[in-house]
Amino acid sequence: MRYWLLLSILLTTFSQALWADVTRATPLLPSIQGQQLVVDGQVTLGMTPTMEKALLHGIAVEYSIQVTLIDPEQWFWQNTLASKKMRVRLSYDPLKQTYLLSNLTLSRLNTDRDLSRALTTLGSIQSFPLIAIEKLQANKAYALQLEVRLERESLPNALRLSSLLDSEWRVNLSGHQQPWTYQP
Amino acid sequence: MKRLRDKFKPYRFVLLIAVLLVFSLILLSQSLQTAQDFTNTYGALLLINLLGAIILLAWLAFNLWQLKQDIVRQTPGSKLQIRLVGVLALLIGIPMLVAFFFARHVIHQSVENWFDTQTEEVLQDALTLSRSLLDLKTRDSLNRLEGLIQLNKEGLISQPTFTLTAVAEMLGDRNTDITLFSSAGQVIATASIDTINTNNLLPQPLPENILQQVRQGTPYAALDADPLSDGTVSSFIRIVLPVRDPNQRIPSLLQAQFHLPDELRQQTDRVSKANAQYQTLAFLREPLKTSVTINLALVVLLTLLGAVLAGIQATRNFIRPVSELTQGARNIAKGDYSQRLETDRHDELGDLMHTFNDMAEQIQKSRDELRRSQLTAEGQKRYLQILLNQITAGVLTCDPKLRLRTANNAASRLLGTSLDSHIGLSLNELLEKHSPLSPFLEAIESAAQELAPQSEKAWENQISIDAADSRHILMLRINRLPDLLHTSGGLLVVFDDITAIVQSQRYAAWQDIARRLAHEIKNPLTPIQLAADRMRYRLLDHLNEEDARILDRATHTIIQQVDSMKRLVQDFSDFAKSPKVVMQQIDLNNFIQDMAIMYPLTDKQRMRIQLQLDHQCPHIIADLGRLRQMFHNLIKNAIEASEKEEKPSLIISTQCDKEYLNLTFSDNGPGIPEDLRLWIFEPYSTNKPKGTGLGMAIVKRILDEHQASISIGSNDPQGARINVSFPLNPKG
């Protein structure tokens, strides 16, 4: 398989969305807090056995969680009204046998001994400020888009190429959209 | 410098791609190593290299396709080039593939050598030992804390702050924080001894899972880590124990955080870090091999493609002089002697191309000389041909195998056939096409047999050939042609039509005879006739009846025969006469109408003469008397020929064109036999019992005086047709 990488790399690079994702997400819950549109939600970050093995071997895994507000009436290249990204990192301490949970965007650090709980904690979206409501039109239909991406550049150099080609490293969530109408 | 630039010009695309790809490969390699600046561009770099490889592959395919097209078009040097490219590809490809697999094997082996089972076990043991040490310390701390709680549980409930401080002092460990929580998790009291966690003025709340566990009566003891505000993690032993009242209820929870001594913490951290690094490397072993293999394969592929492409270009440059030489030789073979090869090479191939140019120049000079000679020869040949065509005698040549080589216009005219279309035919083939030429061709064959090779003597003979309406007498003179190879040469045949000369000579002879006959016979005839008349007049009445009858018959016969002889003599006299012709403008149509009146229909003269005249005909120049004699002879012949016909008729017609006035006499008699037509104009040639044979000879002579021609044919359905053509513009 290794020798076919040259031929398959283009397909694998540009066809990520065709593969089944293991990352799951509950619907986003938008709300107005003060003069801001904020969203809450819960993402269960994907973790395949290979990734878990890498984690236990001391390799940190980083995810980016991006929430985007879209105006569906615009062309796709100019329909983004607001976009916010949160970057999180998960690593493992073999001595303490504890997972370290880092929210790089909010500069928060937690520990947890349970992996699934750690993934849920990292994927928690709480009061995520998106856009000032003054920029929104009342009773207009918008769309909220959630994207979760494994940040490959944070992986060790030797692992980057393999992660591009190995389906065990495909945990991205894309195309997760839900309509939302701004009602003041 | 310019030469160097020109030499590298064909390789510039390969060099450009190669440089870009090498640069890209370096960046790719850096991105896989340490340079963080390139990490984000790894995918792009990989894509660039792949695109570069695809471009080179496409270019290689295009070059190979061009080579195939060259072979199909049989371009000079294409086969040699494909052979060189194949050899080059093998010479480059095989070592590179060997190097690739060897390098891959060495790298994989080196990666495998990084890992050692013993090292892994030692590191694992060290980690386990660290954990055991920490566990031991945890259990020790748990036991000591449990004992203290047992001793001070009443105080912890009634006087928690005081008792908590006393417990801390009794523990005696430095860097220890003790906190008493209510069962709901609220902080009741806290005490610290030389804690290093000075940032945490207030203890952190208990995690929910620990709170629930201890509330159920199960102690919690573990090595925990707390994130610090600076982003680091603080490692400590956390002990949480329930504090029971006398009723075994748990009103509060006691947490002790034993911060590890610096030395122990550093040692365990180092063990943990070393183990983690080793585990990471162990995990990355296969991905590392994959990455290295891919990069190595890319390097090999790009190098191989670049080398093969450069090799193709190099062989093309090497083959080009050979191709140019081959093409130049082909062009010269096709006759293009202006071919020159341009080269600035200074090697053996350059010398060869210069030599080729010299050779082509010499060939061109020789060819120009030859062409000039050919042009001169052709000019001379044309000049000779014109001369030959200008002379009236027929000239033709035959090769040694008696095949017709050349013939002038006069030869075709005299033989009555176009010889131009028969050039190259043998005499036998010519005979098959034109049997009337048999005497002529036989004469040539005879001459060929009689004339010895290189003979300078001439073979001469006179022959007759029959044309459509007349017989021609040809005088032949045949010579051997000189031959450059000194073998039997061809024949030069010169001939002329001497029919007119022979005829004139014959006429002159006959005229002389006629004149002598007229002179010798005419003079005694009159005395004979007079003597016969006198004899008859004097003696007839004096003889008896029988004698008188005999005398009468005899004298009558004498007189009749004398009359006949007189007419014969008159004809001789007419034929022998050469009166001076007086030419004048004559309207031939009026003349014919006048002549026709002289032959009215009578019992004796039963022939009906019809005239069909073209009144558009111009006048002709003729002697009226001679013309009248000619008409008289022809009409008389027609009347005599048609005597036995029931309704004899003669049609006299005229018709004109630009050059001739054609006069035709058509009767319905028996016609003139074909064999007679050949000699009918000869004197004394006749098929009539009473004819003198001079009529048509006189006609021919008169027409010759008028430069007119006469021909004899057959009338439809029967009879003879005599055509006479008068030139409208006679010469002289």
Side-chain angles (χ1 to χ4, degrees):
Chain A
M1 175 185 170
R2 194 180 304 162
Y3 300 104
W4 294 99
L5 294 182
L6 286 172
L7 298 174
S8 60
I9 194 161
L10 284 175
L11 286 175
T12 52
T13 303
F14 296 107
S15 60
Q16 295 281 330
L18 297 175
W19 298 83
D21 296 327
V22 293
T23 298
R24 298 184 305 278
T26 59
L28 295 170
L29 296 173
S31 60
I32 307 298
Q33 291 182 8
Q35 294 300 309
Q36 288 279 327
L37 169 66
V38 297
V39 290
D40 292 278
Q42 180 60 54
V43 175
T44 304
L45 296 171
M47 179 60 65
T48 63
T50 302
M51 290 173 68
E52 190 176 343
K53 187 179 175 186
L55 198 62
L56 295 177
H57 278 77
I59 295 168
V61 179
E62 285 188 19
Y63 299 87
S64 66
I65 301 169
Q66 186 169 14
V67 180
T68 307
L69 182 66
I70 290 171
D71 182 356
E73 294 176 358
Q74 299 294 326
W75 291 100
F76 71 90
W77 62 83
Q78 58 184 14
N79 63 357
T80 301
L81 295 178
S83 183
K84 288 291 169 65
K85 185 187 278 187
M86 183 171 73
R87 191 158 171 159
V88 296
R89 177 196 288 159
L90 180 63
S91 57
Y92 178 73
D93 187 338
L95 183 67
K96 304 176 189 71
Q97 295 178 305
T98 301
Y99 294 98
L100 300 179
L101 292 60
S102 305
N103 189 320
L104 303 176
T105 305
L106 303 175
S107 300
R108 286 201 308 229
L109 189 64
N110 294 313
T111 61
D112 203 316
R113 288 179 176 276
D114 184 69
L115 177 60
S116 61
R117 199 165 53 224
L119 291 169
T120 305
T121 304
L122 279 177
S124 175
I125 303 170
Q126 293 177 345
S127 302
F128 203 56
L130 202 56
I131 191 172
I133 58 171
E134 62 185 18
K135 295 181 179 176
L136 302 176
Q137 293 179 28
N139 300 316
K140 179 177 169 64
Y142 296 95
L144 283 166
Q145 180 178 283
L146 175 66
E147 278 186 300
V148 181
R149 186 178 298 276
L150 175 70
E151 296 295 338
R152 296 178 198 280
E153 71 271 18
S154 70
L155 295 172
N157 297 318
L159 194 56
R160 286 175 199 163
L161 185 57
S162 298
S163 71
L164 278 170
L165 310 171
D166 192 352
S167 61
E168 282 287 298
W169 287 90
R170 293 195 193 101
V171 293
N172 289 354
L173 176 69
S174 59
H176 189 279
Q177 276 196 15
Q178 65 184 74
W180 174 71
T181 304
Y182 174 47
Q183 290 175 334
Chain B
M1 188 64 192
K2 185 179 181 298
R3 185 180 297 167
L4 195 66
R5 198 166 56 241
D6 290 344
K7 276 189 177 179
F8 280 98
K9 197 173 179 182
Y11 304 96
R12 60 187 185 278
F13 187 61
V14 178
L15 286 172
L16 179 67
I17 294 282
V19 168
L20 287 175
L21 289 176
V22 166
F23 184 66
S24 178
L25 279 170
I26 291 170
L27 293 181
L28 190 68
S29 174
Q30 289 296 316
S31 72
L32 286 173
Q33 300 305 320
T34 55
Q36 292 298 320
D37 295 340
F38 302 129
T39 53
N40 294 331
T41 59
Y42 178 79
L45 290 171
L46 195 62
L47 198 61
I48 287 170
N49 278 283
L50 282 172
L51 284 175
I54 289 169
I55 289 170
L56 289 179
L57 269 173
W59 195 19
L60 178 64
F62 175 70
N63 274 280
L64 292 176
W65 179 79
Q66 274 189 327
L67 280 175
K68 187 191 169 201
Q69 291 297 108
D70 286 346
I71 289 175
V72 171
R73 286 196 296 262
Q74 296 187 336
T75 305
S78 55
K79 289 179 183 173
L80 185 58
Q81 188 181 3
I82 198 98
R83 197 171 298 165
L84 284 175
V85 168
V87 170
L88 196 66
L90 287 175
L91 287 176
I92 296 171
I94 291 173
M96 286 209 71
L97 286 175
V98 170
F100 166 70
F101 284 107
F102 183 74
R104 176 180 161 277
H105 177 72
V106 168
I107 291 170
H108 284 202
Q109 199 63 41
S110 302
V111 170
E112 288 295 331
N113 288 341
W114 294 349
F115 303 97
D116 181 27
T117 310
Q118 197 172 358
T119 307
E120 189 174 4
E121 286 175 356
V122 167
L123 283 170
Q124 194 62 43
D125 289 347
L127 185 64
T128 307
L129 195 62
S130 299
R131 277 184 193 157
S132 300
L133 181 65
L134 291 173
D135 285 347
L136 190 64
K137 192 166 179 60
T138 303
R139 274 198 301 274
D140 176 60
S141 299
L142 175 63
N143 292 336
R144 282 195 295 145
L145 193 59
E146 275 181 338
L148 287 174
I149 287 175
Q150 195 62 37
L151 290 173
N152 298 287
K153 61 183 176 184
E154 290 175 2
L156 286 170
I157 294 170
S158 58
Q159 291 179 322
T161 305
F162 175 77
T163 308
L164 199 61
T165 304
V167 168
E169 286 176 354
M170 280 187 280
L171 274 172
D173 285 2
R174 298 173 68 86
N175 300 326
T176 303
D177 295 325
I178 299 178
T179 307
L180 188 65
F181 293 93
S182 68
S183 61
Q186 292 169 337
V187 176
I188 297 173
T190 182
S192 296
I193 300 172
D194 295 336
T195 179
I196 57 170
N197 188 13
T198 53
N199 292 329
N200 293 334
L201 297 176
L202 286 176
Q204 295 289 322
L206 274 175
E208 188 61 30
N209 57 332
I210 298 175
L211 191 63
Q212 285 183 3
Q213 178 183 329
V214 179
R215 269 198 305 226
Q216 289 172 0
T218 306
Y220 175 87
L223 180 67
D224 267 358
D226 254 358
L228 300 178
S229 58
D230 60 357
T232 59
V233 176
S234 169
S235 298
F236 59 92
I237 296 170
R238 187 199 298 266
I239 309 286
V240 185
L241 294 172
V243 180
R244 298 178 189 272
D245 60 8
N247 297 324
Q248 293 300 312
R249 288 180 302 180
I250 302 173
S252 57
L253 313 174
L254 181 69
Q255 172 187 267
Q257 291 178 321
F258 298 95
H259 295 278
L260 298 175
D262 286 345
E263 189 178 359
L264 178 63
R265 185 170 52 83
Q266 287 169 3
Q267 287 170 348
T268 53
D269 281 350
R270 276 202 296 272
V271 169
S272 175
K273 191 177 283 183
N275 184 268
Q277 283 180 348
Y278 188 87
Q279 290 299 324
T280 300
L281 279 177
F283 182 81
L284 293 177
R285 180 163 45 185
E286 288 305 318
L288 190 61
K289 288 180 189 173
T290 304
S291 297
V292 168
T293 303
I294 288 173
N295 287 334
L296 200 59
L298 265 178
V299 170
V300 169
L301 179 67
L302 294 175
T303 309
L304 188 61
L305 287 174
V308 171
L309 283 169
I312 288 176
Q313 190 60 50
T315 53
R316 191 169 287 161
N317 290 344
F318 179 73
I319 292 296
R320 187 172 293 128
V322 180
S323 305
E324 289 175 1
L325 277 167
T326 310
Q327 188 60 48
R330 283 185 184 173
N331 288 342
I332 285 181
K334 287 177 184 172
D336 179 11
Y337 299 107
S338 62
Q339 182 74 40
R340 296 292 183 276
L341 304 178
E342 291 183 5
T343 179
D344 56 352
R345 301 177 71 108
H346 298 285
D347 53 7
E348 287 78 2
L349 282 172
D351 292 342
L352 184 59
M353 293 172 87
H354 287 301
T355 308
F356 176 88
N357 286 341
D358 294 342
M359 182 191 73
E361 194 171 344
Q362 288 298 326
I363 292 175
Q364 189 176 22
K365 279 182 183 174
S366 303
R367 180 181 165 276
D368 289 346
E369 290 279 342
L370 187 63
R371 179 170 288 176
R372 274 195 292 275
S373 302
Q374 281 179 341
L375 286 174
T376 306
E378 283 176 8
Q380 289 174 346
K381 185 180 175 184
R382 273 201 298 275
Y383 177 72
L384 194 61
Q385 192 72 36
I386 291 168
L387 279 181
L388 285 173
N389 285 335
Q390 290 299 317
I391 61 176
T392 55
V395 179
L396 58 85
T397 57
C398 298
D399 63 11
K401 294 183 178 177
L402 298 184
R403 283 189 300 244
L404 187 62
R405 283 180 60 190
T406 58
N408 68 347
N409 294 342
S412 299
R413 179 174 49 79
L414 292 174
L415 296 179
T417 180
S418 173
L419 293 176
D420 289 341
S421 58
H422 299 324
I423 299 294
L425 293 184
S426 66
L427 296 184
N428 287 333
E429 290 169 334
L430 205 55
L431 183 61
E432 288 174 7
K433 291 178 181 291
H434 301 283
S435 55
L437 297 180
S438 171
F440 179 78
L441 301 174
E442 286 170 358
I444 295 175
E445 285 182 349
S446 300
Q449 290 174 357
E450 291 178 19
L451 288 173
Q454 310 298 324
S455 171
E456 293 182 355
K457 290 182 180 177
W459 182 92
E460 290 183 353
N461 205 349
Q462 182 176 313
I463 61 165
S464 296
I465 58 171
D466 295 334
D469 55 355
S470 60
R471 173 170 290 172
H472 294 277
I473 300 165
L474 301 180
M475 182 65 197
L476 275 73
R477 181 184 174 86
I478 301 176
N479 289 83
R480 277 281 179 200
L481 285 170
D483 192 90
L484 294 175
L485 298 176
H486 304 294
T487 57
S488 177
L491 295 178
L492 169 65
V493 182
V494 181
F495 58 98
D496 205 353
D497 189 351
I498 58 169
T499 309
I501 298 170
V502 172
Q503 219 162 31
S504 297
Q505 289 173 345
R506 200 173 292 166
Y507 278 168
W510 280 114
Q511 276 179 331
D512 187 50
I513 293 169
R515 194 162 41 246
R516 286 172 185 264
L517 281 174
H519 181 72
E520 296 296 335
I521 296 172
K522 190 178 178 181
N523 291 339
L525 284 180
T526 302
I528 290 170
Q529 191 176 26
L530 288 174
D533 275 345
R534 185 176 294 173
M535 191 184 296
R536 177 186 176 87
Y537 178 72
R538 291 282 182 92
L539 297 177
L540 191 61
D541 294 336
H542 301 289
L543 297 176
N544 57 32
E545 187 177 350
E546 180 63 22
D547 292 337
R549 189 177 55 81
I550 293 170
L551 179 64
D552 180 53
R553 193 168 56 201
T555 56
H556 186 73
T557 300
I558 290 168
I559 291 168
Q560 265 191 334
Q561 290 301 320
V562 167
D563 280 342
S564 293
M565 289 187 71
K566 274 185 176 177
R567 281 200 305 276
L568 181 64
V569 168
Q570 185 58 46
D571 283 348
F572 280 159
S573 177
D574 289 345
F575 180 69
K577 279 179 185 172
S578 296
K580 187 178 180 182
V581 292
V582 180
M583 293 295 184
Q584 58 182 317
Q585 292 278 345
I586 292 174
D587 185 343
L588 193 63
N589 289 333
N590 286 341
F591 173 79
I592 292 170
Q593 285 170 345
D594 292 344
M595 286 295 294
I597 293 170
M598 294 172 66
Y599 294 90
L601 275 175
T602 61
D603 290 341
K604 194 176 180 181
Q605 206 289 104
R606 296 182 300 116
M607 175 169 276
R608 176 185 292 276
I609 298 176
Q610 300 175 48
L611 303 180
Q612 294 176 356
L613 304 177
D614 180 0
H615 293 284
Q616 302 298 321
C617 286
H619 292 187
I620 63 170
I621 297 173
D623 182 298
L624 194 58
R626 303 289 282 168
L627 205 59
R628 189 175 291 120
Q629 187 177 4
M630 182 201 78
F631 264 80
H632 176 71
N633 283 2
L634 290 176
I635 292 171
K636 185 183 166 195
N637 276 351
I639 290 171
E640 288 173 358
S642 308
E643 275 178 346
K644 293 179 181 176
E645 299 299 322
E646 188 179 349
K647 289 183 178 177
S649 72
L650 173 65
I651 300 171
I652 302 173
S653 63
T654 57
Q655 187 260 331
C656 293
D657 56 29
K658 288 181 180 178
E659 296 180 1
Y660 294 98
L661 189 153
N662 297 308
L663 172 67
T664 307
F665 295 83
S666 306
D667 63 37
N668 60 349
I672 302 171
E674 285 194 7
D675 56 342
L676 182 60
R677 293 177 195 173
L678 296 173
W679 45 271
I680 194 169
F681 298 113
E682 298 291 326
Y684 307 108
S685 56
T686 179
N687 62 347
K688 291 184 290 187
K690 293 180 180 177
T692 60
L694 291 172
M696 291 305 283
I698 292 169
V699 167
K700 181 71 169 70
R701 185 172 157 192
I702 292 170
L703 290 175
D704 286 345
E705 290 166 356
H706 287 80
Q707 300 177 25
S709 62
I710 184 169
S711 63
I712 296 172
S714 298
N715 195 22
D716 185 30
Q718 68 170 35
R721 177 191 288 264
I722 297 172
N723 297 307
V724 177
S725 295
F726 287 98
L728 295 175
N729 300 299
K731 295 173 185 174

